Amino acid sequence: MLDTDQNAASAHDGLAEAMQPAAFQKAVNSWVPHDIVLKDAWFPLAHSFAVTAKPVRRSVYSQPFFLWRENGKAVAAECHPRDAAGRDTSAFSDAHGRYPVLEHYGYVWGWYGNPANADPAHLPSIPYLPDNGNLPRHMLGTVRFDCCAPLSLENLIDLTHSDFLHADVVGDEKMDKEVVEVFYDTETITMVRTCTNKSVAPIMKWFGGVKDDVQQVRQVIRIYLRSHAAIAYGRFSPGDNVQLFHPCVPETRDRTRLDYAMNTSNVKKTNPFRYMMPKASYKVSRQDSSMTSPQSPRYMHPESRRDLHSPLDEAGQKYRVLMLALAERQARGDFAYRDNVSADCSTIIGFDGK
């Protein structure tokens, strides 16, 4: 079960006021994610296998990150090593132009913000990825979205959208009952969707060996606000669990990089679902991009027209309010973490180690 006390705990940071109807609706309707640049966060810049002795370039909000290995250890710097001598450095790096960097979960993570505040304790918890990564390459991939990262995440946390946009992969909207719950604190937001007798996803029928016509489904999306990273966990009975890490790294304000990892190690090696499900990310991402890319320009400027929502949009609305509250706090010079993002979230997402 989810710890509902985390909602009450958020009141200490003024979120209770932000969630009041008048302030809440104002924030939702004035949503301009292009104006939000959150700092002091770890970003998963690349899969570990992509970082070798030869430098590769990544970026966070157009801030360059060059990644390479020295004696096997990952390094991140503002400049290519051949151009580093005599170059001025920014406030994001140390005197040598290097960023704080760490390697975990099979990713090289770079710190975007004040180097003095970099702390492994602020690394998001991803309980179903091995600490050392070490997943086979067919479970890893990269896609890109021509939209701002918050828009991609706002789309993702609306779990109901998949029934319509991705019905050919994850199943349609037919079910007997649906319950949606939303939980949050100052650094995260989690949506839980429980479906009773939901139509079986086609990919599970075709490749997963599920013979039944309906499933019992519990889907969870948890977003780490500063890192623009989401973990998705789905439990399907009958069927196999889906364990997806979905980081949305804002390369620019209108370009998002997704180096995903879908851990299907829990699925039997003889089951084609183990190999096919990670590849479905390419089809799903194209479907998402067809919707989010045309919307992105509309988020560049405030909109006077009221933004209308259904009751199922609660998670997306609260995501907006939480992002704005965090941005406002950082604008006041407060970059401290009020809640622990590295605490094991297995109980929160319902992960039992399988």
Side-chain angles (χ1 to χ4, degrees):
M1 293 294 294
L2 288 166
D3 180 7
T4 56
D5 288 342
Q6 61 181 312
N7 281 8
S10 68
H12 73 275
D13 195 47
L15 285 184
E17 290 79 6
M19 293 297 174
Q20 292 300 311
F24 183 89
Q25 198 60 52
K26 180 180 179 181
V28 169
N29 289 337
S30 62
W31 176 241
V32 185
H34 290 76
D35 291 342
I36 297 178
V37 177
L38 299 179
K39 299 178 181 178
D40 281 12
W42 292 107
F43 283 92
L45 299 175
H47 291 115
S48 290
F49 73 81
V51 181
T52 64
K54 183 179 180 180
V56 294
R57 190 184 189 281
R58 298 289 188 268
S59 64
V60 178
Y61 290 118
S62 300
Q63 178 75 15
F65 282 75
F66 287 90
L67 309 175
W68 71 93
R69 294 186 185 274
E70 293 180 353
N71 299 319
K73 187 176 181 180
V75 174
E78 288 187 329
C79 300
H80 193 286
R82 67 168 176 256
D83 302 324
R87 295 286 294 270
D88 292 334
T89 61
S90 74
F92 294 92
S93 64
D94 63 18
H96 303 287
R98 295 199 171 186
Y99 301 105
V101 65
L102 55 79
E103 195 162 2
H104 204 67
Y105 298 129
Y107 288 83
V108 174
W109 300 72
W111 180 260
Y112 180 78
N114 185 346
N117 295 336
D119 189 331
H122 302 322
L123 191 72
S125 169
I126 314 173
Y128 47 71
L129 291 188
D131 287 350
N132 63 353
N134 207 29
L135 291 177
R137 291 279 291 274
H138 71 265
M139 297 182 187
L140 311 174
T142 299
V143 296
R144 296 174 179 82
F145 296 107
D146 291 320
C147 70
C148 56
L151 177 55
S152 182
L153 288 167
E154 186 181 354
N155 172 67
L156 180 68
I157 202 171
D158 173 18
L159 284 165
T160 62
H161 88 276
S162 60
D163 295 348
F164 305 95
L165 191 57
H166 313 306
D168 57 342
V169 177
V170 301
D172 57 33
E173 76 283 5
K174 297 175 183 177
M175 69 191 80
D176 289 345
K177 183 180 179 181
E178 175 183 37
V179 176
V180 172
E181 302 169 278
V182 180
F183 303 86
Y184 63 88
D185 58 29
T186 61
E187 299 289 343
T188 68
I189 183 166
T190 305
M191 178 179 181
V192 181
R193 183 192 190 204
T194 305
C195 304
T196 302
N197 295 334
K198 190 178 189 300
S199 298
V200 174
I203 196 169
M204 289 192 177
K205 273 187 171 289
W206 300 335
F207 302 108
V210 177
K211 305 299 182 183
D212 300 53
D213 292 326
V214 297
Q215 296 172 307
Q216 312 315 309
V217 179
R218 185 178 187 273
Q219 300 170 302
V220 182
I221 295 289
R222 179 174 174 83
I223 295 178
Y224 295 96
L225 303 176
R226 298 200 201 199
S227 295
H228 292 75
I231 56 176
Y233 183 62
R235 296 174 62 178
F236 299 84
S237 180
D240 292 292
N241 297 344
V242 175
Q243 306 173 153
L244 171 66
F245 179 45
H246 191 289
C248 292
V249 177
E251 292 190 314
T252 69
R253 294 191 180 190
D254 296 290
R255 181 77 166 173
T256 300
R257 182 184 181 93
L258 169 57
D259 288 317
Y260 70 83
M262 184 176 291
N263 186 358
T264 54
S265 299
N266 58 303
V267 182
K268 293 181 179 179
K269 291 185 177 180
T270 55
N271 189 338
F273 183 81
R274 177 186 178 104
Y275 306 95
M276 295 302 299
M277 189 60 190
K279 300 306 177 187
S281 295
Y282 290 103
K283 179 172 185 176
V284 169
S285 66
R286 286 197 297 270
Q287 293 171 333
D288 281 328
S289 186
S290 70
M291 299 298 293
T292 57
S293 295
Q295 293 180 49
S296 194
R298 299 177 58 187
Y299 289 98
M300 290 184 179
H301 308 286
E303 174 61 60
S304 59
R305 186 176 60 180
R306 183 180 176 85
D307 197 353
L308 302 178
H309 301 271
S310 79
L312 295 177
D313 291 324
E314 178 188 357
Q317 290 179 309
K318 287 184 175 177
Y319 169 73
R320 293 183 177 191
V321 174
L322 291 168
M323 289 287 285
L324 287 169
L326 189 51
E328 289 171 3
R329 184 152 60 83
Q330 291 199 355
R332 299 193 301 268
D334 181 358
F335 295 90
Y337 278 73
R338 305 296 177 86
D339 291 284
N340 184 7
V341 297
S342 66
D344 183 10
C345 66
S346 295
T347 300
I348 294 175
I349 67 172
F351 176 63
D352 58 4
K354 298 179 182 179

